[in-house]
Amino acid sequence: MKPRFKIQNTIGIALLLFATLTSCTDDLDIVPNDDQTVLSEELFTNEAAYKQVLAGIYANLALTGTDGAENSNLKNIDAGTSQFGRVLLYVQTLSADQMIWSYENDPGAREIQRNTWTAQNPLLLGMFSRAHLSIALANNFLRETTDAKLDARNVSTTTRTDIVAYRAEARLMRAMAYYYMMDIFGKANFVTENDNLNSFPPVYERGQLFDFIESELIAIDTDLIDSRQNEYGRADKSVAYMVLAKMYLNAEVYIGENHYTECLTYCEKIMDGGYTLAPNYLHNFMADNNTNSAVNEIIFPIVSDGTTTQNYGPTTVMVNGQVGS
């Protein structure tokens, strides 16, 4: 299944427009005047931008756009039904009868819950598109942080040292997106930072995706920050171990091979990283779960709050789903 999707890319559009106009005549010397459009070379004159662009990859898991909860950076898809946590909850949990949902007025939810969905289900389109946007954002970050680019910009040694971990995190976020594509759809349009932007991506099947994800997560292990040592909301080694453990647990489905021993190994690595169950189970679902006992249990949060990361995401849906109609 390959639902069609379209991603808005203001930087790409601005570059294309500029190239087209300047190639016609020197008289049309136009500079984009959209205050939300920043060309990459201008953006990275400030070395703090590298961390900000990395943050955008994480933000794609919580936000749907840059202008509030009603805004979506995916065309023709409702902002709510493309929020990563929300569509992941629906397509993985609701479809597996792990919960019974009274909130069936949410477009696509009824079909997912009753196993009557089609390829045009808005929740499936949202999941497909959001995961591929994560891949695109990670690829862009990796293209902008090559040694050649950093040399050309005279990036400081301190920032370059930080960028080693930043690149590992971007690769991890990309691998995780491919994991969900492999798990949910069984295939994905496959692109890395080394591919031409104008090339038509090949479709990778489960076996190919499994091999890529596994090799990526193993390769970045030494560059990732140690378990529970990164900033809140950023990924560390245990997030990579978590994805590997989930892959190995279901390897018989993905590639027809038994990998339970490897699954156990990576689960033990997570526990060795200092993660423990919260003494109070309810702490996991409270707004202060970044400071209460749940902080020792939650391996990788999708950061949300009522002030800076408003969205129609999983917490909103969970509350509405309990109320129902």
Side-chain angles (χ1 to χ4, degrees):
M1 173 170 27
K2 293 190 292 181
R4 297 175 62 189
F5 68 101
K6 184 176 182 180
I7 299 172
Q8 290 181 323
N9 190 331
T10 55
I11 292 178
I13 292 171
L15 288 171
L16 177 61
L17 178 62
F18 184 77
T20 302
L21 291 173
T22 53
S23 64
C24 294
T25 173
D26 292 336
D27 294 334
L28 297 176
D29 187 10
I30 295 177
V31 176
N33 59 8
D34 185 344
D35 60 3
Q36 293 187 342
T37 299
V38 181
L39 302 183
S40 61
E41 291 310 312
E42 178 185 347
L43 174 66
F44 290 113
T45 55
N46 180 357
E47 292 189 8
Y50 290 101
K51 188 175 183 180
Q52 293 166 356
V53 173
L54 176 69
I57 304 174
Y58 288 104
N60 185 54
L61 304 181
L63 304 176
T64 55
T66 57
D67 293 320
E70 302 288 346
N71 176 252
S72 177
N73 50 17
L74 298 170
K75 280 192 173 181
N76 303 320
I77 297 179
D78 175 75
T81 51
S82 70
Q83 199 279 334
F84 177 81
R86 177 172 171 176
V87 291
L88 183 63
L89 174 74
Y90 276 142
V91 302
Q92 282 201 323
T93 307
L94 192 59
S95 63
D97 293 336
Q98 291 177 285
M99 64 183 185
I100 301 298
W101 216 231
S102 60
Y103 197 53
E104 283 195 334
N105 60 316
D106 204 4
R110 179 183 179 87
E111 291 78 13
I112 294 288
Q113 177 157 260
R114 296 168 187 263
N115 294 323
T116 59
W117 66 80
T118 68
Q120 295 306 310
N121 185 286
L123 299 172
L124 294 179
L125 291 171
M127 185 70 219
F128 188 95
S129 302
R130 188 60 59 186
H132 276 92
L133 180 53
S134 281
I135 294 164
L137 292 172
N139 283 338
N140 180 67
F141 182 83
L142 294 170
R143 290 189 188 100
E144 294 293 345
T145 53
T146 62
D147 287 338
K149 286 283 184 75
L150 300 180
D151 288 342
R153 296 169 184 153
N154 295 315
V155 174
S156 68
T157 301
T158 300
T159 299
R160 293 184 75 141
T161 300
D162 292 337
I163 286 175
V164 173
Y166 294 171
R167 284 178 60 85
E169 290 174 51
R171 291 170 69 182
L172 172 51
M173 292 298 98
R174 180 178 64 183
M176 188 172 71
Y178 275 128
Y179 162 76
Y180 284 118
M181 290 301 301
M182 175 185 70
D183 183 63
I184 296 168
F185 297 98
K187 60 182 65 178
N189 297 318
F190 186 78
V191 184
T192 72
E193 74 277 17
N194 298 317
D195 292 305
N196 190 306
L197 288 173
N198 296 320
S199 63
F200 191 81
V203 175
Y204 268 32
E205 303 292 334
R206 269 182 168 160
Q208 295 167 294
L209 291 172
F210 188 99
D211 290 343
F212 172 78
I213 299 163
E214 181 184 40
S215 63
E216 275 286 277
L217 295 179
I218 292 173
I220 63 177
D221 182 63
T222 56
D223 291 335
L224 287 170
I225 293 175
D226 288 340
S227 298
R228 304 185 68 242
Q229 299 304 307
N230 210 343
E231 293 178 273
Y232 177 73
R234 285 176 59 190
D236 56 29
K237 291 181 187 290
S238 284
V239 179
Y241 300 158
M242 175 188 70
V243 177
L244 283 167
K246 290 163 73 71
M247 285 176 55
Y248 290 137
L249 180 65
N250 293 296
E252 288 176 305
V253 174
Y254 302 142
I255 58 173
E257 297 176 6
N258 180 322
H259 283 277
Y260 293 123
T261 300
E262 291 89 341
C263 176
L264 177 60
T265 296
Y266 279 96
C267 286
E268 289 174 339
K269 282 178 175 285
I270 294 172
M271 290 186 287
D272 290 342
Y275 286 96
T276 57
L277 297 179
N280 187 335
Y281 177 66
L282 292 179
H283 281 181
N284 288 286
F285 308 97
M286 293 181 176
D288 62 347
N289 59 12
N290 62 314
T291 57
N292 65 28
S293 68
V295 75
N296 296 321
E297 178 173 341
I298 298 173
I299 298 173
F300 183 54
I302 296 177
V303 179
S304 297
D305 62 52
T307 304
T308 58
T309 55
Q310 296 178 358
N311 59 68
Y312 293 109
T315 51
T316 301
V317 169
M318 285 178 182
V319 172
N320 288 333
Q322 300 306 312
V323 175
S325 54

